[in-house]
Amino acid sequence: MSVMYELFGRIVELLVLRGGRDRSKDIEILVLRKQLEVLQRHVPRPRLESRDRVVLAGFSRVLDRKRWPMFFVTPDTLVRWHRGLVARHWTYPHRPRGRPRVDRVLRALVLRLAAENPTWGYRRIHGELVGLGCRLAPSTVWSILNAAGVDPSPQRRGPTWREFLHAQAHQVIAWDFFTVDTITLQRLYVLFFIELDTRRVHLAGITKHPTGDWTTQQARNLLDQFAGTRGFLIRDRDTKFFAAFDTIFASEYIAVIKTPIRTPVANAYAERWIGTVRR
């Protein structure tokens, strides 16, 4: 219908604008005849069909706006018809709104991974899908699990830090520094280690100027006491612990666990003993 309207408008413009003489009177006559045809249908209210709107809107394009009162519809109606026809003419093919529906097989795969791996969250499941070549957003995985009544982020069932320390206490030692201010206003640095299972404290060394080399040498001197009996060493991220310090313990298969930054509670046993010494 929009194409028909466009063709009709072009024909009318060609007749009026390029006709060699003013044909406004002829157009007015055609408008009146068309309106009379509509009114003669003997209905209480003239019912315009699509072709009627096309013809009247086409005539309004070439007729002077001062003569628009001759139409039995308002100028706003004529403009609205014209805009609607033009809009439909330039409308792109309709596209469905929103995201496309997830394939039924892919949805079943997400639920299967969640059922067979109860500790996996939606992020882990999304990573497995990417490895399988499935293109699916993490938010979509979350929505699928949530809609099926599955917790998208299940609570981790691994041991807590406290549970780990209690279970592995016989394998863990902790290292740390603390300071002592003497009566002569000198500050001494004390390096010690503590066995978590027995709470036995060993003095590694005291110095005024702790350096990475000095700390590493103290580790060498005391390493024989732990060889084959301990599996983990807890220490903070002090710069006085060089890479060589960790290498010495790694050579005896003792894993070094570094505490998070500004988290003394992660080395709670050593920190509590330091507090006892100060009191």
Side-chain angles (χ1 to χ4, degrees):
M1 188 61 66
S2 298
V3 176
M4 176 182 172
Y5 167 67
E6 184 68 20
L7 180 60
F8 180 81
R10 296 297 181 183
I11 293 175
V12 174
E13 288 180 352
L14 181 62
L15 293 175
V16 175
L17 301 178
R18 302 181 181 179
R21 65 185 182 88
D22 186 11
R23 294 190 177 182
S24 298
K25 297 296 183 180
D26 297 334
I27 296 298
E28 291 181 12
I29 294 174
L30 292 176
V31 171
L32 292 174
R33 287 180 178 178
K34 183 61 182 177
Q35 296 182 124
L36 181 61
E37 177 186 346
V38 175
L39 293 174
Q40 287 177 346
R41 293 175 183 168
H42 302 290
V43 293
R45 182 177 179 182
R47 182 177 180 181
L48 300 178
E49 299 179 358
S50 297
R51 60 177 181 270
D52 301 327
R53 296 187 181 94
V54 169
V55 173
L56 295 177
F59 282 137
S60 67
R61 292 181 58 179
V62 297
L63 192 62
D64 190 359
R65 296 180 69 93
K66 295 180 180 180
R67 300 180 181 179
W68 278 20
M70 64 182 304
F71 292 96
F72 59 77
V73 294
T74 62
D76 292 339
T77 302
L78 292 173
V79 174
R80 179 167 51 84
W81 288 350
H82 172 73
R83 290 176 177 174
L85 292 169
V86 174
R88 285 195 294 272
H89 177 71
W90 291 105
T91 299
Y92 291 96
H94 176 70
R95 297 179 181 177
R97 296 182 179 180
R99 296 181 179 180
R101 295 179 62 87
V102 180
D103 184 72
R104 190 175 302 175
V105 177
L106 189 57
R107 184 185 298 272
L109 178 59
V110 172
L111 297 178
R112 178 182 175 183
L113 290 174
E116 295 180 356
N117 304 275
T119 61
W120 286 10
Y122 72 99
R123 288 283 184 181
R124 175 67 182 276
I125 296 176
H126 172 258
E128 294 295 329
L129 293 174
V130 172
L132 295 174
C134 301
R135 300 183 59 184
L136 201 64
S139 58
T140 303
V141 177
W142 188 95
S143 300
I144 292 174
L145 296 176
N146 187 60
V150 180
D151 187 1
S153 301
Q155 184 178 4
R156 302 293 181 250
R157 298 184 180 180
T160 63
W161 181 244
R162 181 186 295 271
E163 293 172 346
F164 169 78
L165 291 179
H166 279 287
Q168 302 293 335
H170 64 284
Q171 288 285 331
V172 182
I173 55 176
W175 284 62
D176 205 352
F177 275 96
F178 71 93
T179 60
V180 175
D181 294 325
T182 66
I183 194 171
T184 59
L185 303 181
Q186 292 183 348
R187 174 160 293 184
L188 303 179
Y189 293 83
V190 181
L191 177 63
F192 71 96
F193 70 88
I194 180 173
E195 303 175 9
L196 265 60
D197 54 345
T198 63
R199 304 298 197 275
R200 183 180 180 183
V201 178
H202 300 262
L203 180 64
I206 303 176
T207 180
K208 296 180 181 178
H209 307 288
T211 61
D213 294 333
W214 180 85
T215 304
T216 303
Q217 184 59 44
Q218 305 311 310
R220 293 193 184 98
N221 297 338
L222 296 175
L223 184 61
D224 293 338
Q225 301 183 30
F226 313 127
T229 61
R230 302 291 171 171
F232 302 96
L233 169 69
I234 300 177
R235 71 170 181 83
D236 57 20
R237 298 176 181 268
D238 198 316
T239 56
K240 291 185 287 294
F241 294 106
F242 281 4
F245 181 89
D246 298 341
T247 304
I248 293 174
F249 289 93
S251 64
E252 295 294 336
Y253 304 100
I254 299 177
V256 177
I257 302 177
K258 300 178 183 179
T259 61
I261 299 176
R262 297 181 180 177
T263 312
V265 69
N267 199 4
Y269 292 92
E271 295 291 342
R272 183 173 183 179
W273 188 77
I274 293 174
T276 301
V277 172
R278 293 189 180 282
R279 286 190 294 272

